[in-house]
Amino acid sequence: MRTQVAIIGGGPSGLLLSQLLHTRGIDSVVLERQTKAYVLQRIRAGVLEQGLLDLMTEAGVGERVYREGFAHDGTLLSYGDEMFRIDFTEHTDKPVMVYGQTEVTRDLYKAREATDGRLVFQVSDVEIVGADTDSPEVQYTVDGARQTLACDYVAGCDGFHGVSRKTIPETLRKDYEKVYPFGWLGVLSRTPPVHHELIYANSERGFALCSMRNEALSRYYIQCRLDDRPEDWSDQAFWDELRRRIPGEQAARLVTGPSIEKSIAPLRSFVTEPMRWGRLFLCGDAAHIVPPTGAKGLNTAASDVHYLYTGLRQIYEESDAEGLDRYSERALARVWKTERFSWWFSTLMHRFPDQTEFEYKIQLAEIEFLRTNKAAQAAMAQNYVGLPY
Ligand code: APR
Ligand code: PHB
């Protein structure tokens, strides 16, 4: 089999790139390790920047997100019983859209299937051969048979645990990593959100986040120990702890109910450089990971897709390699800015096990400064709604 762009990974990055390429008549094949159902059962963050919305519109999948998504013009930060709002429209010209990542992926699958996209599921033993040559191939096994996909370029959209990053020789690659000493215990419940906007809470007991998917589906998180397991937390224990970490007025309003999903995610900052080796281009979680505090995972994958899509269009439509040659440089410039914001917001809002009393007081002073200083609020708003591509 042959294609122009072999895309490894059928998550948001791979699907968005494939659908965008299709709009320009550039052929791709998406190779996905799991089944479509498995990919769609993943629960992930749901705050979309305008840049991602624009790419979805360009890809022809912008209709439902604007119909069913919730535009948010601000977010709330609390510390102890105090709470204040960061107003996005006061400092930027755009809102964010609350819309589950699962729905983004669902919309992209629907569009790919409607346009006869070549999606191969349950592939295994994927191997990228000749990435540093002019004729790369992707070898894989499906239905027990070994296949070879010849291509012009390979997009490694296979996430943190994929094969693409590891294909780049370690002697040519440098990884940067920070692992946080806590995790997020998340619960999905068929209950009305405690507030119509998100609440990021710093409390003496640890971080909490009140989010949502729609008016009847809420998503909550509390910072937890790394050795915690979801089964260690009954629903009641979760709700009781969440109430302790948010302002009393919000705790009194909280509507609780059975968890329909309960999971723990570790927090990590990670970047690999470069994001290109020959004709292999890393995109999304394959190249970088952020702690979810700033909701930048999907949105940074989107800017990678934008840069790679632009470079591939240039080479195919104008025989100009400038976009591909500068892909890694351009993508990493924005990646590091979102890594910084995600690290800063995580450090500001979480309690660290080894945090001294002085450091806690500094944390509270920085939150108080954010509460009272318009320049600080503008910086936060501009990062949260999304820095320019
Ligand atoms: N071969 C084929 N597919 C693979 C392989 C492999 N060797 N390894 C992983 N995959 C698939 C995974 O099953 C997954 O569906 O690649 C896909 C990668 O998707 P994501 O991990 O969602 O990464 P990405 O598409 O870059 O999206 C980034 O998703 O994980 C969240 O927080 C992350 O919001 C961010 C967004
Ligand atoms: C979510 O709704 O899952 C969510 C929202 C904002 C974040 C992280 C997660 O920063």
Side-chain angles (χ1 to χ4, degrees):
M1 188 159 62
R2 176 168 181 82
T3 186
Q4 290 174 292
V5 182
I7 298 174
I8 304 174
S13 298
L15 293 168
L16 180 58
L17 177 63
S18 180
Q19 187 61 17
L20 284 166
L21 292 172
H22 167 74
T23 66
R24 305 299 299 186
I26 299 170
D27 185 63
S28 65
V29 173
V30 176
L31 303 174
E32 168 55 49
R33 178 165 63 180
Q34 307 291 353
T35 63
K36 175 179 151 186
Y38 185 93
V39 174
L40 289 175
Q41 56 80 39
R42 291 175 181 142
I43 301 290
R44 296 278 166 70
V47 176
L48 312 186
E49 296 175 358
Q50 189 61 48
L52 172 52
L53 295 173
D54 293 345
L55 285 172
M56 290 173 72
T57 299
E58 184 173 357
V61 296
E63 189 268 333
R64 186 163 79 106
V65 62
Y66 277 103
R67 188 177 72 244
E68 297 181 10
F70 297 83
H72 282 206
D73 292 333
T75 193
L76 299 159
L77 273 69
S78 72
Y79 53 125
D81 237 22
E82 299 293 325
M83 188 160 84
F84 63 97
R85 184 168 185 266
I86 301 291
D87 184 332
F88 301 148
T89 50
E90 180 185 351
H91 304 290
T92 75
D93 58 355
K94 48 196 172 185
V96 293
M97 186 73 83
V98 171
Y99 185 74
Q101 176 177 313
T102 306
E103 301 317 308
V104 174
T105 310
R106 194 187 315 281
D107 294 342
L108 287 165
Y109 268 122
K110 184 179 177 185
R112 285 283 54 209
E113 288 157 359
T115 53
D116 297 325
R118 289 195 284 172
L119 311 172
V120 185
F121 293 100
Q122 294 184 283
V123 302
S124 60
D125 303 317
V126 172
E127 191 179 348
I128 302 166
V129 177
D132 56 340
T133 71
D134 288 342
S135 49
E137 293 178 347
V138 180
Q139 297 172 5
Y140 61 96
T141 300
V142 65
D143 298 332
R146 196 71 179 152
Q147 304 291 336
T148 296
L149 177 62
C151 56
D152 300 333
Y153 302 100
V154 182
C157 302
D158 47 351
F160 185 70
H161 302 289
V163 67
S164 297
R165 183 176 70 252
K166 298 160 191 164
T167 298
I168 302 178
E170 287 187 2
T171 53
L172 300 178
R173 179 164 54 86
K174 180 163 180 54
D175 294 348
Y176 301 83
E177 185 170 44
K178 177 180 179 58
V179 178
Y180 297 82
F182 41 73
W184 278 19
L185 169 61
V187 158
L188 197 63
S189 60
R190 296 195 199 288
T191 54
V194 70
H195 198 287
H196 68 277
E197 291 185 326
L198 273 62
I199 303 174
Y200 291 87
N202 173 312
S203 84
E204 280 198 283
R205 301 177 63 91
F207 171 81
L209 171 59
C210 302
S211 183
M212 77 276 304
R213 293 292 176 268
N214 57 50
E215 298 104 330
L217 195 58
S218 296
R219 181 67 169 168
Y220 294 105
Y221 299 92
I222 59 172
Q223 173 185 343
C224 65
R225 294 161 48 92
L226 279 176
D227 57 5
D228 269 350
R229 298 166 306 161
E231 56 269 29
D232 295 339
W233 287 83
S234 68
D235 286 1
Q236 192 57 54
F238 177 87
W239 295 124
D240 291 347
E241 187 60 33
L242 177 64
R243 282 200 183 89
R244 296 186 191 106
R245 299 190 184 186
I246 59 179
E249 182 183 343
Q250 303 306 321
R253 296 157 38 100
L254 183 68
V255 176
T256 64
S259 60
I260 57 175
E261 194 272 347
K262 188 184 291 176
S263 55
I264 290 181
L267 273 67
R268 174 200 317 269
S269 298
F270 177 89
V271 180
T272 198
E273 292 187 353
M275 289 175 56
R276 173 199 187 175
W277 182 49
R279 289 180 175 244
L280 168 61
F281 297 84
L282 304 183
C283 201
D285 274 18
H288 42 74
I289 296 288
V290 284
T293 321
K296 292 302 169 198
L298 178 59
N299 293 299
T300 311
S303 51
D304 292 348
V305 168
H306 163 77
Y307 296 123
L308 184 52
Y309 167 57
T310 303
L312 288 167
R313 277 186 58 188
Q314 265 185 311
I315 194 76
Y316 281 116
E317 296 172 358
E318 304 161 28
S319 301
D320 177 355
E322 188 260 355
L324 292 182
D325 289 344
R326 293 192 61 198
Y327 167 73
S328 184
E329 168 203 343
R330 283 175 175 157
L332 283 167
R334 192 175 188 274
V335 162
W336 277 112
K337 293 188 181 82
T338 61
E339 289 283 344
R340 183 212 63 83
F341 172 68
S342 304
W343 161 83
W344 169 81
F345 198 17
S346 302
T347 305
L348 182 68
M349 299 303 287
H350 291 77
R351 295 306 312 277
F352 287 70
D354 60 352
Q355 189 176 43
T356 65
E357 287 182 57
F358 170 80
E359 287 164 336
Y360 184 48
K361 295 294 277 184
I362 291 293
Q363 207 178 44
L364 295 179
E366 181 158 5
I367 294 173
E368 184 64 22
F369 178 69
L370 186 58
R371 174 179 188 160
T372 56
N373 184 281
K374 288 296 182 190
Q377 293 173 17
M380 166 136 189
Q382 288 160 18
N383 277 280
Y384 194 92
V385 302
L387 298 176
Y389 286 4

